mmCIF file of all heavy atoms in Angstrom:
data_model
loop_
_atom_site.group_PDB
_atom_site.id
_atom_site.type_symbol
_atom_site.label_atom_id
_atom_site.label_comp_id
_atom_site.label_asym_id
_atom_site.label_seq_id
_atom_site.Cartn_x
_atom_site.Cartn_y
_atom_site.Cartn_z
ATOM 1 N N LEU A 1 -37.472 67.790 -172.851
ATOM 2 C CA LEU A 1 -36.997 68.596 -173.979
ATOM 3 C C LEU A 1 -37.550 70.009 -173.849
ATOM 4 O O LEU A 1 -38.773 70.187 -173.772
ATOM 5 C CB LEU A 1 -37.474 67.981 -175.305
ATOM 6 C CG LEU A 1 -37.125 68.740 -176.585
ATOM 7 C CD1 LEU A 1 -35.614 68.818 -176.790
ATOM 8 C CD2 LEU A 1 -37.801 68.099 -177.803
ATOM 9 N N PRO A 2 -36.711 71.049 -173.844
ATOM 10 C CA PRO A 2 -37.197 72.423 -173.817
ATOM 11 C C PRO A 2 -38.121 72.705 -174.997
ATOM 12 O O PRO A 2 -37.878 72.221 -176.121
ATOM 13 C CB PRO A 2 -35.927 73.251 -173.869
ATOM 14 C CG PRO A 2 -34.859 72.360 -173.303
ATOM 15 C CD PRO A 2 -35.236 70.977 -173.752
ATOM 16 N N VAL A 3 -39.161 73.500 -174.755
ATOM 17 C CA VAL A 3 -40.178 73.787 -175.776
ATOM 18 C C VAL A 3 -40.286 75.295 -175.994
ATOM 19 O O VAL A 3 -40.357 76.070 -175.026
ATOM 20 C CB VAL A 3 -41.545 73.224 -175.370
ATOM 21 C CG1 VAL A 3 -42.622 73.607 -176.395
ATOM 22 C CG2 VAL A 3 -41.495 71.714 -175.191
ATOM 23 N N VAL A 4 -40.289 75.707 -177.260
ATOM 24 C CA VAL A 4 -40.606 77.089 -177.644
ATOM 25 C C VAL A 4 -41.857 77.005 -178.498
ATOM 26 O O VAL A 4 -41.869 76.325 -179.519
ATOM 27 C CB VAL A 4 -39.444 77.732 -178.428
ATOM 28 C CG1 VAL A 4 -39.888 79.073 -179.011
ATOM 29 C CG2 VAL A 4 -38.239 77.909 -177.538
ATOM 30 N N SER A 5 -42.898 77.699 -178.083
ATOM 31 C CA SER A 5 -44.189 77.556 -178.761
ATOM 32 C C SER A 5 -44.902 78.891 -178.911
ATOM 33 O O SER A 5 -44.712 79.817 -178.107
ATOM 34 C CB SER A 5 -45.073 76.600 -177.962
ATOM 35 O OG SER A 5 -46.372 76.485 -178.541
ATOM 36 N N VAL A 6 -45.741 78.976 -179.925
ATOM 37 C CA VAL A 6 -46.698 80.061 -180.023
ATOM 38 C C VAL A 6 -47.813 79.785 -179.017
ATOM 39 O O VAL A 6 -47.932 78.699 -178.477
ATOM 40 C CB VAL A 6 -47.255 80.174 -181.462
ATOM 41 C CG1 VAL A 6 -46.165 80.506 -182.446
ATOM 42 C CG2 VAL A 6 -47.991 78.897 -181.871
ATOM 43 N N ARG A 7 -48.648 80.791 -178.790
ATOM 44 C CA ARG A 7 -49.747 80.660 -177.829
ATOM 45 C C ARG A 7 -50.914 79.981 -178.537
ATOM 46 O O ARG A 7 -51.617 80.586 -179.357
ATOM 47 C CB ARG A 7 -50.130 82.060 -177.328
ATOM 48 C CG ARG A 7 -50.994 82.070 -176.087
ATOM 49 C CD ARG A 7 -51.162 83.456 -175.525
ATOM 50 N NE ARG A 7 -50.129 83.777 -174.542
ATOM 51 C CZ ARG A 7 -49.142 84.634 -174.755
ATOM 52 N NH1 ARG A 7 -49.035 85.250 -175.907
ATOM 53 N NH2 ARG A 7 -48.253 84.887 -173.799
ATOM 54 N N VAL A 8 -51.141 78.700 -178.235
ATOM 55 C CA VAL A 8 -52.182 77.923 -178.921
ATOM 56 C C VAL A 8 -52.652 76.798 -177.991
ATOM 57 O O VAL A 8 -51.876 76.280 -177.193
ATOM 58 C CB VAL A 8 -51.640 77.337 -180.260
ATOM 59 C CG1 VAL A 8 -50.537 76.320 -180.008
ATOM 60 C CG2 VAL A 8 -52.752 76.728 -181.093
ATOM 61 N N GLY A 9 -53.948 76.432 -178.103
ATOM 62 C CA GLY A 9 -54.471 75.336 -177.297
ATOM 63 C C GLY A 9 -54.227 75.578 -175.814
ATOM 64 O O GLY A 9 -54.406 76.689 -175.303
ATOM 65 N N ASP A 10 -53.757 74.539 -175.112
ATOM 66 C CA ASP A 10 -53.453 74.664 -173.686
ATOM 67 C C ASP A 10 -51.952 74.734 -173.428
ATOM 68 O O ASP A 10 -51.492 74.450 -172.313
ATOM 69 C CB ASP A 10 -54.081 73.509 -172.905
ATOM 70 C CG ASP A 10 -53.498 72.144 -173.291
ATOM 71 O OD1 ASP A 10 -52.719 72.076 -174.268
ATOM 72 O OD2 ASP A 10 -53.831 71.144 -172.625
ATOM 73 N N VAL A 11 -51.174 75.128 -174.458
ATOM 74 C CA VAL A 11 -49.718 75.129 -174.325
ATOM 75 C C VAL A 11 -49.251 76.074 -173.228
ATOM 76 O O VAL A 11 -48.338 75.743 -172.442
ATOM 77 C CB VAL A 11 -49.051 75.509 -175.666
ATOM 78 C CG1 VAL A 11 -47.558 75.797 -175.480
ATOM 79 C CG2 VAL A 11 -49.225 74.397 -176.687
ATOM 80 N N GLU A 12 -49.851 77.237 -173.117
ATOM 81 C CA GLU A 12 -49.439 78.199 -172.087
ATOM 82 C C GLU A 12 -49.573 77.587 -170.702
ATOM 83 O O GLU A 12 -48.693 77.752 -169.830
ATOM 84 C CB GLU A 12 -50.258 79.475 -172.207
ATOM 85 C CG GLU A 12 -49.700 80.627 -171.424
ATOM 86 C CD GLU A 12 -50.372 81.949 -171.787
ATOM 87 O OE1 GLU A 12 -51.388 81.924 -172.494
ATOM 88 O OE2 GLU A 12 -49.843 82.999 -171.346
ATOM 89 N N GLU A 13 -50.659 76.857 -170.482
ATOM 90 C CA GLU A 13 -50.854 76.183 -169.197
ATOM 91 C C GLU A 13 -49.799 75.115 -168.969
ATOM 92 O O GLU A 13 -49.259 74.980 -167.876
ATOM 93 C CB GLU A 13 -52.258 75.555 -169.167
ATOM 94 C CG GLU A 13 -52.556 74.695 -167.939
ATOM 95 C CD GLU A 13 -53.849 73.936 -168.063
ATOM 96 O OE1 GLU A 13 -54.641 74.214 -168.992
ATOM 97 O OE2 GLU A 13 -54.069 73.042 -167.219
ATOM 98 N N ARG A 14 -49.467 74.342 -170.020
ATOM 99 C CA ARG A 14 -48.502 73.263 -169.869
ATOM 100 C C ARG A 14 -47.084 73.775 -169.590
ATOM 101 O O ARG A 14 -46.311 73.139 -168.872
ATOM 102 C CB ARG A 14 -48.487 72.397 -171.142
ATOM 103 C CG ARG A 14 -49.782 71.701 -171.440
ATOM 104 C CD ARG A 14 -50.108 70.665 -170.401
ATOM 105 N NE ARG A 14 -51.537 70.305 -170.450
ATOM 106 C CZ ARG A 14 -52.240 69.987 -169.389
ATOM 107 N NH1 ARG A 14 -51.665 69.979 -168.200
ATOM 108 N NH2 ARG A 14 -53.515 69.659 -169.503
ATOM 109 N N LEU A 15 -46.731 74.923 -170.180
ATOM 110 C CA LEU A 15 -45.365 75.420 -170.050
ATOM 111 C C LEU A 15 -45.170 76.363 -168.870
ATOM 112 O O LEU A 15 -44.034 76.741 -168.571
ATOM 113 C CB LEU A 15 -44.947 76.136 -171.339
ATOM 114 C CG LEU A 15 -44.946 75.293 -172.625
ATOM 115 C CD1 LEU A 15 -44.307 76.086 -173.768
ATOM 116 C CD2 LEU A 15 -44.226 73.973 -172.446
ATOM 117 N N ARG A 16 -46.260 76.721 -168.206
ATOM 118 C CA ARG A 16 -46.169 77.684 -167.113
ATOM 119 C C ARG A 16 -45.253 77.123 -165.992
ATOM 120 O O ARG A 16 -45.491 76.062 -165.439
ATOM 121 C CB ARG A 16 -47.541 78.007 -166.564
ATOM 122 C CG ARG A 16 -47.570 79.143 -165.549
ATOM 123 C CD ARG A 16 -48.986 79.481 -165.139
ATOM 124 N NE ARG A 16 -49.757 79.996 -166.279
ATOM 125 C CZ ARG A 16 -50.903 79.485 -166.674
ATOM 126 N NH1 ARG A 16 -51.411 78.420 -166.061
ATOM 127 N NH2 ARG A 16 -51.542 80.008 -167.698
ATOM 128 N N GLY A 17 -44.204 77.874 -165.704
ATOM 129 C CA GLY A 17 -43.312 77.495 -164.614
ATOM 130 C C GLY A 17 -42.282 76.442 -164.967
ATOM 131 O O GLY A 17 -41.521 76.009 -164.089
ATOM 132 N N VAL A 18 -42.250 75.988 -166.229
ATOM 133 C CA VAL A 18 -41.292 74.949 -166.619
ATOM 134 C C VAL A 18 -39.984 75.613 -167.057
ATOM 135 O O VAL A 18 -39.995 76.456 -167.960
ATOM 136 C CB VAL A 18 -41.853 74.066 -167.757
ATOM 137 C CG1 VAL A 18 -40.844 72.971 -168.123
ATOM 138 C CG2 VAL A 18 -43.183 73.449 -167.343
ATOM 139 N N GLU A 19 -38.909 75.238 -166.441
ATOM 140 C CA GLU A 19 -37.608 75.826 -166.740
ATOM 141 C C GLU A 19 -37.180 75.499 -168.170
ATOM 142 O O GLU A 19 -37.341 74.378 -168.634
ATOM 143 C CB GLU A 19 -36.548 75.312 -165.764
ATOM 144 C CG GLU A 19 -36.816 75.682 -164.309
ATOM 145 C CD GLU A 19 -35.852 74.995 -163.365
ATOM 146 O OE1 GLU A 19 -34.933 74.310 -163.858
ATOM 147 O OE2 GLU A 19 -36.024 75.123 -162.144
ATOM 148 N N GLY A 20 -36.627 76.528 -168.858
ATOM 149 C CA GLY A 20 -36.073 76.299 -170.185
ATOM 150 C C GLY A 20 -37.105 76.262 -171.296
ATOM 151 O O GLY A 20 -36.783 75.888 -172.421
ATOM 152 N N CYS A 21 -38.353 76.650 -171.007
ATOM 153 C CA CYS A 21 -39.409 76.673 -172.028
ATOM 154 C C CYS A 21 -39.938 78.097 -172.164
ATOM 155 O O CYS A 21 -39.924 78.864 -171.189
ATOM 156 C CB CYS A 21 -40.552 75.725 -171.674
ATOM 157 S SG CYS A 21 -40.084 73.985 -171.604
ATOM 158 N N GLU A 22 -40.436 78.426 -173.342
ATOM 159 C CA GLU A 22 -40.982 79.761 -173.561
ATOM 160 C C GLU A 22 -42.237 79.707 -174.437
ATOM 161 O O GLU A 22 -42.280 78.926 -175.394
ATOM 162 C CB GLU A 22 -39.960 80.681 -174.228
ATOM 163 C CG GLU A 22 -38.834 81.132 -173.317
ATOM 164 C CD GLU A 22 -38.172 82.395 -173.806
ATOM 165 O OE1 GLU A 22 -38.829 83.210 -174.508
ATOM 166 O OE2 GLU A 22 -36.985 82.582 -173.497
ATOM 167 N N VAL A 23 -43.211 80.546 -174.101
ATOM 168 C CA VAL A 23 -44.348 80.823 -174.974
ATOM 169 C C VAL A 23 -44.101 82.199 -175.578
ATOM 170 O O VAL A 23 -43.902 83.194 -174.859
ATOM 171 C CB VAL A 23 -45.685 80.809 -174.195
ATOM 172 C CG1 VAL A 23 -46.841 81.161 -175.127
ATOM 173 C CG2 VAL A 23 -45.915 79.467 -173.552
ATOM 174 N N CYS A 24 -44.103 82.279 -176.887
ATOM 175 C CA CYS A 24 -43.727 83.515 -177.586
ATOM 176 C C CYS A 24 -44.797 84.591 -177.420
ATOM 177 O O CYS A 24 -46.001 84.282 -177.368
ATOM 178 C CB CYS A 24 -43.485 83.244 -179.063
ATOM 179 S SG CYS A 24 -42.175 82.026 -179.350
#
């Protein structure tokens, strides 16, 4: 499931390089 998230916890690390996801 594509994820759009604020920068919190380790989310930036988890979404790095994942297609269709964004850290705002």
